[in-house]
Amino acid sequence: MDKQKNSFYHAIKVNTDVCIGCSHCMKVCPTQAIRISGGHARINKNRCIDCGECYRVCPVNAIYVDQDDFKKRPEKKVKVLLVPSVFIGQFPEIYTKDQIFETVKKQGFTHVFEVEQAVDAIIEFYKNYSESDNKMPVISTYCPAIVRLIQVAYPSLCDKFIPVKAPHDVTALYFREYFKKQGIDREDTEIFYITPCAAKIASVKEPVGEDSSEIDVVINMNTLFNLVYSDLVNDSEGECNSNIVSMNP
């Protein structure tokens, strides 16, 4: 695993045109990465761990999460979207998982899978690793914000990281191999990942200990949720209106 670096990629950004310099973000930052300078919040890239606490408390939405524009992508034969289970849980219970996934596909995806499919394999690896001759204790790399925190504040502990890919990368790698066996070249496959976590966006853009991630495009969850929920509501209203019309004599 990489030890402390001079700078990291960050998904958390500040729009200085909107920022009012209120210092709310500075007060909640766990790594003291934010200072108010020139009347605006400034983020120290060597300290920020993309935990999102500043984003959560900003009263004017000056702090935002940078993401890829998934609409502006070249056409591919296979466009796989990996979604965390928490995404499904954001929708009202009247919508089934199948309804949600089918509506998600309307945004241009050919396949939708849950990213947690790789968790069991990772847990098994953790178990075997901890029972081997490796020196204990060891640190899970599951949370990228914690990984960044250790890199920034406790670099001497980096050797304790368990050398395993993040769940989204393991799942992406599985599906790349799956479609390869189906005769579809890697160049014809694009893998998207949605997440509510800014640190995971950063981990895709700059994975720890690797040159690149298996993920091609990463999307902030609220962006896709708003699009899908709007379509679900519109579809439901259309069905309702259709039923009303059919009942008229």
Side-chain angles (χ1 to χ4, degrees):
M1 290 290 179
D2 296 338
K3 294 191 176 183
Q4 189 174 22
K5 299 175 63 175
N6 293 327
S7 64
F8 299 97
Y9 174 91
H10 294 289
I12 294 291
K13 312 285 187 184
V14 179
N15 184 344
T16 55
D17 292 333
V18 177
C19 179
I20 58 176
C22 66
S23 79
H24 284 60
C25 54
M26 185 178 75
K27 292 175 181 177
V28 300
C29 180
T31 59
Q32 300 181 339
I34 301 176
R35 290 291 182 268
I36 306 301
S37 176
H40 305 298
R42 309 286 180 178
I43 298 178
N44 184 329
K45 293 184 177 181
N46 293 333
R47 287 180 172 269
C48 177
I49 60 173
D50 288 281
C51 66
E53 285 299 299
C54 55
Y55 171 80
R56 182 179 62 83
V57 301
C58 180
V60 295
N61 298 319
I63 296 176
Y64 65 97
V65 178
D66 193 20
Q67 62 179 320
D68 293 319
D69 187 346
F70 73 96
K71 292 288 189 180
K72 296 181 179 179
R73 303 294 302 178
E75 288 300 316
K76 299 283 186 178
K77 184 179 295 185
V78 172
K79 302 182 80 169
V80 178
L81 178 67
L82 303 180
V83 303
S85 295
V86 67
F87 175 73
I88 302 166
Q90 304 307 304
F91 295 89
E93 292 182 0
I94 60 172
Y95 301 115
T96 67
K97 184 172 75 172
D98 288 343
Q99 282 180 296
I100 295 168
F101 279 13
E102 285 304 313
T103 306
V104 166
K105 287 182 180 179
K106 293 179 182 178
Q107 299 298 325
F109 304 105
T110 59
H111 301 77
V112 183
F113 300 108
E114 291 181 66
V115 72
E116 285 83 3
Q117 293 188 47
V119 170
D120 288 344
I122 292 174
I123 291 175
E124 185 65 22
F125 178 88
Y126 279 0
K127 181 176 180 292
N128 294 336
Y129 189 85
S130 63
E131 292 175 352
S132 66
D133 295 331
N134 295 289
K135 293 182 179 180
M136 302 294 283
V138 291
I139 303 173
S140 167
T141 55
Y142 191 89
C143 175
I146 296 300
V147 171
R148 286 283 175 91
L149 175 63
I150 291 172
Q151 287 179 300
V152 167
Y154 310 100
S156 63
L157 296 178
C158 287
D159 292 339
K160 297 294 185 181
F161 285 132
I162 298 178
V164 62
K165 290 178 179 288
H168 53 261
D169 271 327
V170 175
T171 306
L173 182 60
Y174 169 81
F175 284 111
R176 286 198 184 281
E177 291 299 316
Y178 171 81
F179 286 111
K180 182 179 179 180
K181 291 179 181 178
Q182 303 301 311
I184 301 173
D185 294 336
R186 184 185 182 95
E187 293 74 18
D188 293 324
T189 303
E190 192 165 38
I191 298 184
F192 300 72
Y193 172 52
I194 62 170
T195 175
C197 175
K200 287 186 178 179
I201 294 178
S203 73
V204 168
K205 294 298 184 180
E206 191 177 88
V208 175
E210 298 183 281
D211 293 331
S212 61
S213 169
E214 295 293 336
I215 304 293
D216 297 304
V217 182
V218 62
I219 311 164
N220 195 24
M221 183 181 291
N222 63 355
T223 299
L224 191 62
F225 171 82
N226 290 334
L227 292 170
V228 173
Y229 187 52
S230 176
D231 283 350
L232 283 169
V233 171
N234 290 335
D235 289 346
S236 297
E237 290 178 347
E239 291 176 4
C240 181
N241 291 335
S242 176
N243 290 336
I244 293 172
V245 171
S246 65
M247 292 174 65
N248 290 334

